[in-house]
Amino acid sequence: MEMVWMLLFALCLFSLIYTYVLYPLTMRVWAKGEILNNDDCALAQLPNATIIIAAYNEESVIETTLSKIKESVNFKQLEVLIGSDGSTDKTNEIVERFAAENVNIHLYVFERNGKVAILNALMQNATHQLVVLMDANIKLSNDCLPKMLMHFTDNNIGLVGANIKNVTNNSKELKDISPYEDAYVNNENELKYNEGVVFGSMMGPFGGCYAIRKELYKNIPTNFLVDDFHICMNVLKQNKKAVLAKDAWCYEQLASTLQSEFNRKRRISAGNFQNLMVFKTLLFKGKNGVGFTFFSHKVLRWKGPFLFLYLVLSSLMLFKYHLLFGIMFLGLMLLMCVPILNWLLLKLKIRIPLMQKVAYFVLMNIALHMGFVDWLTGIKSGIWQPTKRK
């Protein structure tokens, strides 16, 4: 029995080190010196594209988003379809004003059915073969869309993600989140770019802005919570490549509170397990390294909370055999208490950056675990309240 617990301890410890350290480092070394090939075509040579945005009560951001789209250097080559998902604020009024001034902007009004239903419906109305899927709160740089679309000159590429950058204001709540979420996003951007360079199997775009060949789009089940990953995996399943356009910048405002970010991660986690059940056979797909990147980047990370729990349990069971395991157990238990201690210090207006970073990491893993429970108990609807942002 001791040997079994030793093996479990070693396996969990190695898996965590591999997931958070060795795999990203391996991909960084593997991709070093490589660049994502694309033809830097002239603006006139860029293909036409359709932009699809699902919007629900986005009056605070939709005007800025559409204004940024109009500033895009290839705006005249774009068709913009806005699907209002039962909005009850001034979203429809704002979009109608833009549509009246621009013949290539169109509003579609739906009953409240959720984002996935809007995407499935509007994809049928897209007149161009390249489709950009955007969130309503995304701000594009002027050349973001051309920088993405030029990659489609490679016929093997089926999906291209933009490079997302978080933006914040000066609120204290955002200062408690932004450094750690920024670090996470930056690391993910680098890892996804490296996966695209080495294999052409980027593990999902950031859902705020990415482009796909319309022919590769498959309708998403309406109760699915993470549509972008579902779309990307279907592209890889059809033996096309998914990459990140490193110089295609767009900007998204960070969630306004730690609670909002926790809820968002929990929802994403539940959606991840939905996707795992659909695409689990891709774990055995060798072409373009899909199975390798799927397991290393996503599946092991989704299992992270369980690996931590198994590590705690195995170190507890081995406590009596060696002091090292006792120290490991106490250290892990202390780690689990860090969010509570950090919360108490924040109440006293004391901020310790290292403690905040550890607390953020622990809380996001708790969110992953709770998302798993949500998936296990059943997800009947994909309708959700958009993350509140300041």
Side-chain angles (χ1 to χ4, degrees):
M1 184 60 69
E2 177 188 354
M3 184 58 66
V4 173
W5 287 114
M6 285 284 291
L7 288 173
L8 180 62
F9 178 88
L11 180 61
C12 291
L13 184 59
F14 175 78
S15 296
L16 289 168
I17 294 173
Y18 174 77
T19 302
Y20 293 106
V21 180
L22 296 181
Y23 176 65
L25 182 61
T26 299
M27 294 307 301
R28 181 183 301 168
V29 172
W30 205 337
K32 188 175 182 180
E34 301 290 333
I35 59 172
L36 191 62
N37 291 325
N38 66 82
D39 294 329
D40 194 8
C41 51
L43 182 61
Q45 298 174 309
L46 281 172
N48 295 334
T50 298
I51 295 178
I52 289 178
I53 300 176
Y56 171 67
N57 286 352
E58 301 285 4
E59 65 178 7
S60 63
V61 295
I62 194 67
E63 182 167 4
T64 301
T65 298
L66 291 175
S67 296
K68 287 295 183 182
I69 292 174
K70 284 188 64 177
E71 292 173 8
S72 178
V73 295
N74 65 330
F75 175 64
K76 292 182 180 179
Q77 296 170 267
L78 302 175
E79 169 191 56
V80 184
L81 309 182
I82 314 293
S84 177
D85 185 24
S87 296
T88 56
D89 62 356
K90 295 182 180 179
T91 297
N92 295 356
E93 178 183 328
I94 295 169
V95 176
E96 285 172 348
R97 174 162 51 82
F98 273 86
E101 299 169 355
N102 303 274
V103 295
N104 52 343
I105 295 179
H106 308 278
L107 172 67
Y108 294 81
V109 179
F110 298 87
E111 293 182 359
R112 182 81 164 124
N113 287 313
K115 178 183 178 182
V116 167
I118 302 299
L119 297 183
N120 289 341
L122 291 187
M123 188 62 74
Q124 306 304 315
N125 294 331
T127 59
H128 302 308
Q129 289 307 303
L130 296 181
V131 178
V132 177
L133 300 172
M134 276 183 59
D135 285 347
N137 65 307
I138 294 295
K139 297 179 182 179
L140 299 173
S141 61
N142 291 357
D143 60 353
C144 176
L145 297 177
K147 293 291 187 181
M148 279 200 299
L149 296 175
M150 67 174 57
H151 288 283
F152 288 103
T153 55
D154 182 345
N155 292 325
N156 290 317
I157 291 179
L159 183 144
V160 180
N163 210 345
I164 298 282
K165 177 70 175 176
N166 282 330
V167 294
T168 65
N169 58 30
N170 293 321
S171 71
K172 290 182 179 179
E173 293 90 345
L174 288 178
K175 286 182 178 180
D176 289 335
I177 303 171
S178 59
Y180 318 113
E181 184 64 16
D182 279 346
Y184 167 76
V185 170
N186 291 337
N187 289 335
E188 280 289 282
N189 279 335
E190 181 186 7
L191 182 53
K192 290 181 179 186
Y193 177 75
N194 291 339
E195 289 171 339
V197 168
V198 175
F199 293 116
S201 61
M202 172 186 67
M203 279 294 107
F206 281 102
C209 184
Y210 59 100
I212 182 179
R213 295 185 191 274
K214 181 182 176 181
E215 66 199 54
L216 300 177
Y217 182 90
K218 303 295 182 184
N219 277 353
I220 311 160
T222 53
N223 70 327
F224 265 47
L225 299 176
V226 184
D227 48 273
D228 47 280
F229 191 75
H230 187 280
I231 291 169
C232 183
M233 295 306 282
N234 263 320
V235 168
L236 297 174
K237 188 176 181 179
Q238 295 173 79
N239 295 319
K240 293 296 184 179
K241 293 182 178 182
V243 300
L244 185 141
K246 201 171 186 178
D247 52 355
W249 286 99
C250 57
Y251 306 91
E252 180 178 32
Q253 197 168 53
L254 197 64
S256 58
T257 65
L258 183 59
Q259 181 64 53
S260 296
E261 189 60 29
F262 182 91
N263 292 338
R264 189 176 76 90
K265 288 287 198 298
R266 177 176 176 175
R267 175 180 58 80
I268 290 173
S269 173
N272 288 339
F273 286 101
Q274 288 179 311
N275 279 305
L276 178 58
M277 292 300 101
V278 172
F279 297 109
K280 56 182 179 291
T281 57
L282 292 187
L283 288 168
F284 307 100
K285 184 179 177 66
K287 186 170 182 178
N288 294 334
V290 172
F292 172 66
T293 53
F294 188 18
F295 178 75
S296 300
H297 186 168
K298 292 298 184 181
V299 176
L300 276 179
R301 190 175 296 185
W302 297 343
K303 301 294 185 181
F306 302 99
L307 293 173
F308 276 111
L309 290 176
Y310 296 151
L311 199 62
V312 170
L313 180 60
S314 58
S315 61
L316 175 62
M317 298 304 295
L318 293 167
F319 197 113
K320 60 183 177 181
Y321 296 107
H322 199 286
L323 179 61
L324 176 64
F325 296 109
I327 295 173
M328 176 68 77
F329 173 75
L330 293 175
L332 290 170
M333 293 306 296
L334 179 61
L335 187 71
M336 297 294 288
C337 295
V338 167
I340 299 174
L341 180 57
N342 182 64
W343 178 78
L344 291 173
L345 289 175
L346 288 178
K347 288 293 183 180
L348 298 173
K349 299 184 179 180
I350 300 173
R351 287 173 166 80
I352 303 175
L354 179 59
M355 183 173 289
Q356 287 183 278
K357 184 174 183 179
V358 173
Y360 181 84
F361 177 78
V362 173
L363 284 172
M364 293 308 109
N365 273 277
I366 293 173
L368 286 177
H369 182 77
M370 293 181 68
F372 170 78
V373 174
D374 292 339
W375 166 76
L376 202 61
T377 54
I379 300 170
K380 295 181 175 60
S381 173
I383 299 177
W384 51 277
Q385 286 292 124
T387 302
K388 293 182 178 180
R389 305 174 194 273
K390 290 186 178 180

